[in-house]
Amino acid sequence: GIASVVAGHPLDTVKTRLQAGQGYGNTLKCILTVYRNESLTGFFKGMSFPLASIGIYSSVVFGVFSNTQRFLSQLHHGDPAAAPSLGDMTLASLVAGVISVGIGTPVELVKIRLQMQTQPYTKGNVKLNSTAPGSPVYRGPIHCLRTILQKEGIPGIYRGNVAMLLRDVPGYCAYFIPYAMFCDWITPHGSIAPNPFSIWVAGGVAGAVSWAVCTPMDVVKSRLQADGVYSNQYKGTIDCMLQSYQNEGLKVFFRGLLVNTVRGFPSSAAMFLGYELSLKAMKRCQSEINP
């Protein structure tokens, strides 16, 4: 999980600015604007909270997926280690997607608020609070979390959870299933387990596919969660979708598609490689302790 955050966060910041911000134009212009205005550190805004919590988040997601898969294999084949069917993988992915929202929504919210708090807003379109756009609202992740809780309560912490659910449920299906398929496809015939290169490539492809699939709902989620730094423009998921469509047309839901897909490859490649190698190392350590 940590490997994934470090590999993907700079492009995640660019993606969030493109989806929820104004005046950035295309991906290259956004990168140059962030660098010119905020230097290299601007790309790492909001990274500390995901970095601190990603271990729990990733262990829950991967743990729920693998244990659901083992349960279904036991149920259908009488052996938890049996190769899962496509239906079993799909159901396990859906369960992992639903569970992930409970942990992931507050983390995503804090990350996006910190990424967006220096974002310039158009005064004509947004009713501003006392804080001027472009000036930092939050001193860090803990202050951000505390401020949201004080102003908006528990529902505020879970702002955008419906959009995240609509993003992550199909997103995890397009994440775990392509990974298993590509891993199987590129692993040399006769090998007991995939080699690190196969894991890296399969994980990268799965990440790119998954982010391409869930970009439209990712745009809605980003806008809902960024809303509230200086304003409250959207009433909910449907209102956000309607306002975005009315103001910017259908193309708005594909904002950040390229950067999402490009970011998805190294981020997920690092995630799956870290997961598989860590698991292998722990199994080896366990077998040495308990031969």
Side-chain angles (χ1 to χ4, degrees):
I2 290 167
S4 171
V5 171
V6 172
H9 195 83
L11 282 175
D12 184 69
T13 299
V14 174
K15 179 267 297 184
T16 302
R17 297 285 180 94
L18 281 169
Q19 290 177 341
Q22 296 173 11
Y24 285 115
N26 56 38
T27 304
L28 183 60
K29 187 183 174 186
C30 181
I31 293 169
L32 292 173
T33 303
V34 173
Y35 180 74
R36 190 163 51 245
N37 294 343
E38 303 166 57
S39 77
L40 204 60
T41 57
F43 296 101
F44 294 92
K45 273 188 165 61
M47 190 175 85
S48 59
F49 196 53
L51 205 60
S53 56
I54 193 70
I56 299 166
Y57 178 78
S58 297
S59 64
V60 168
V61 170
F62 277 79
V64 167
F65 173 76
S66 59
N67 281 298
T68 304
Q69 207 169 239
R70 285 170 64 82
F71 170 76
L72 292 170
S73 293
Q74 174 71 48
L75 196 68
H76 297 150
H77 310 292
D79 179 12
S85 66
L86 182 61
D88 289 349
M89 279 196 288
T90 303
L91 187 55
S93 301
L94 292 173
V95 173
V98 171
I99 297 297
S100 74
V101 174
I103 301 170
T105 304
V107 176
E108 287 277 304
L109 179 70
V110 171
K111 181 199 74 176
I112 283 176
R113 291 286 175 94
L114 291 171
Q115 286 173 328
M116 293 300 295
Q117 66 174 338
T118 55
Q119 155 67 25
Y121 279 75
T122 305
K123 291 186 180 182
N125 295 340
V126 180
K127 288 182 180 179
L128 300 177
N129 294 332
S130 57
T131 309
S135 60
V137 179
Y138 313 113
R139 292 191 294 272
I142 302 301
H143 179 249
C144 177
L145 200 62
R146 196 167 62 239
T147 304
I148 296 167
L149 273 169
Q150 286 170 351
K151 289 184 176 179
E152 304 168 55
I154 297 294
I157 291 295
Y158 283 91
R159 185 174 177 83
N161 61 343
V162 175
M164 194 164 174
L165 191 69
L166 294 172
R167 182 196 75 168
D168 283 4
V169 170
Y172 276 116
C173 287
Y175 189 59
F176 286 115
I177 295 170
Y179 170 72
M181 290 171 68
F182 271 92
C183 224
D184 186 54
W185 181 52
I186 61 178
T187 299
H189 185 68
S191 296
I192 300 170
N195 59 44
F197 179 73
S198 298
I199 293 165
W200 185 83
V201 172
V205 170
V209 170
S210 175
W211 278 109
V213 167
C214 59
T215 290
M217 285 315 300
D218 189 49
V219 172
V220 177
K221 182 200 72 71
S222 293
R223 289 186 163 214
L224 277 169
Q225 292 185 326
D227 187 40
V229 177
Y230 305 111
S231 65
N232 281 295
Q233 189 178 352
Y234 308 116
K235 296 184 184 76
T237 304
I238 302 297
D239 183 52
C240 180
M241 291 169 74
L242 290 173
Q243 281 197 51
S244 298
Y245 176 72
Q246 286 165 1
N247 294 334
E248 298 168 68
L250 196 63
K251 68 180 187 295
V252 71
F253 298 108
F254 297 95
R255 268 197 186 183
L257 176 64
L258 177 63
V259 73
N260 246 349
T261 307
V262 170
R263 179 183 70 92
F265 192 99
S267 179
S268 295
M271 172 79 87
F272 276 105
L273 189 60
Y275 169 73
E276 296 284 6
L277 293 181
S278 299
L279 206 61
K280 203 173 286 184
M282 284 185 280
K283 282 178 179 176
R284 188 165 57 245
C285 184
Q286 196 174 28
S287 65
E288 286 171 3
I289 294 168
N290 302 305

